Amino acid sequence: MDAELTPIARNCPNCGADQPKDLGLGRDPWVIGECGQCGFAYLTAAASYEDLSELYSWEKAIVAEAKRRKQKQPIVQWLDQKTRWRLHMFPRPETKTFLEKLVPGGNIVDIGCGNGKVGLALPDRYTPYGVEISKSLAAEADAEFRKRGGFCVHAPSAEGLGQFEPNLFDGAMLNSYLEHEAKPLPVLEALARVMKPSGVAIIKVPNFGSWNAAVMKSGWCGIRLPDHVNYFTPQSLANMAAKAGFASDFPGSANLPTNDNFWAFLRREAA
């Protein structure tokens, strides 16, 4: 699959600098670099939006990555599959659960919504909307969201958010999405425009600052090439969110250093 994609060079998505230091965690032609200007970790080249729309859409990428990991780490992957029960031993934080606690009801936009299953799982007091780059998944989500009074836009996320009126949304979900987005700062800026002043956006991303990331290095589960193009820590996400006009909160109980993911709650800062 990698050979079918054309890498498009990108500067640091946080500050725009072109001073990356190779962290030695990627594989040719996909290099994970650390910005020499701001320290943000990112893939120095990414697939085009056109490729992500159909050729390497999420539902295809996840299958390809699972196959690659099984071939590269057969014992580790076998153990992982045989011990999936461990994931259900304790209550797990979920983006949907956080949203229901923080947002009483109203219009919700799910960015990178896939086929819409997370938005559709929300209670009836929420009206689900979505933006999705995969053409086929966007069509599925749109058909279902319209039954609930919303709809899904098939477009790159910043462009898709531009099709909504300002101050429309009471809440937003960016669930395992922002690590895939080649232009995360413009997306957050576009999101700020359509969020109500009282609205809350819940973000879940892999935690590049986790202990497991430090120990496993290139074998860490959060490194997926070429579809994970941004490698956030809580601090780097807060810095980017601030540029877009958001203040960030982090739920401590869900953001332990042993967790491969972390959550952030974004609220528009007062003008």
Side-chain angles (χ1 to χ4, degrees):
M1 180 67 77
D2 284 10
E4 298 173 358
L5 301 175
T6 301
I8 299 175
R10 61 199 290 250
N11 292 354
C12 173
N14 182 56
C15 73
D18 187 19
Q19 306 172 14
K21 171 189 174 183
D22 187 349
L23 293 176
L25 301 175
R27 64 174 185 271
D28 187 58
W30 312 107
V31 174
I32 298 175
E34 181 182 81
C35 178
Q37 187 78 12
C38 70
F40 188 78
Y42 66 101
L43 207 62
T44 60
S48 69
Y49 281 135
E50 290 76 16
D51 283 343
L52 294 175
S53 178
E54 297 194 55
L55 177 64
Y56 203 68
S57 56
W58 179 86
E59 69 275 21
K60 297 175 183 177
I62 194 170
V63 172
E65 178 63 14
K67 181 178 179 181
R68 188 195 70 81
R69 288 181 182 271
K70 188 174 182 179
Q71 292 173 340
K72 185 175 178 61
Q73 304 171 319
I75 296 176
V76 171
Q77 296 303 310
W78 181 86
L79 286 172
D80 179 68
Q81 289 299 315
K82 293 298 183 181
T83 60
R84 300 298 288 178
W85 50 266
R86 73 193 189 280
L87 301 177
H88 305 285
M89 291 180 64
F90 304 101
R92 301 178 66 195
E94 297 291 347
T95 303
K96 170 181 171 292
T97 305
F98 286 131
L99 183 126
E100 290 183 35
K101 289 181 179 179
L102 296 171
V103 182
N107 297 326
I108 305 299
V109 62
D110 187 354
I111 305 177
C113 66
N115 64 4
K117 68 177 182 179
V118 177
L120 293 169
L122 292 170
D124 290 341
R125 65 181 183 270
Y126 302 99
T127 301
Y129 294 80
V131 182
E132 173 55 46
I133 188 66
S134 167
K135 184 176 181 180
S136 61
L137 293 180
E140 288 185 52
D142 185 59
E144 295 302 318
F145 285 177
R146 289 183 182 276
K147 297 175 184 177
R148 295 270 299 268
F151 58 87
C152 177
V153 176
H154 169 232
S157 294
E159 176 187 325
L161 287 167
Q163 299 182 37
F164 296 108
E165 62 188 72
N167 303 316
L168 176 62
F169 295 112
D170 300 275
M173 295 187 293
L174 293 80
N175 187 59
S176 299
Y177 153 75
L178 206 58
E179 65 270 25
H180 297 267
E181 174 55 57
K183 299 178 180 179
L185 181 55
V187 169
L188 293 178
E189 291 170 337
L191 178 62
R193 185 188 70 86
V194 298
M195 292 293 293
K196 294 179 180 179
S198 60
V200 184
I202 293 89
I203 294 180
K204 173 190 176 185
V205 288
N207 185 5
F208 193 57
S210 68
W211 292 349
N212 201 24
V215 171
M216 295 299 293
K217 299 189 182 303
S218 63
W220 178 50
C221 60
I223 292 179
R224 282 179 33 182
L225 306 174
D227 54 319
H228 283 192
V229 299
N230 306 307
Y231 292 86
F232 290 100
T233 65
Q235 187 61 58
S236 68
L237 178 58
N239 291 342
M240 184 179 289
K243 292 182 178 182
F246 286 107
S248 303
D249 291 324
F250 299 90
S253 60
N255 290 340
L256 301 175
T258 53
N259 197 334
D260 285 314
N261 300 291
F262 71 87
W263 280 261
F265 306 151
L266 272 53
R267 296 174 173 86
R268 281 173 50 184
E269 293 188 304

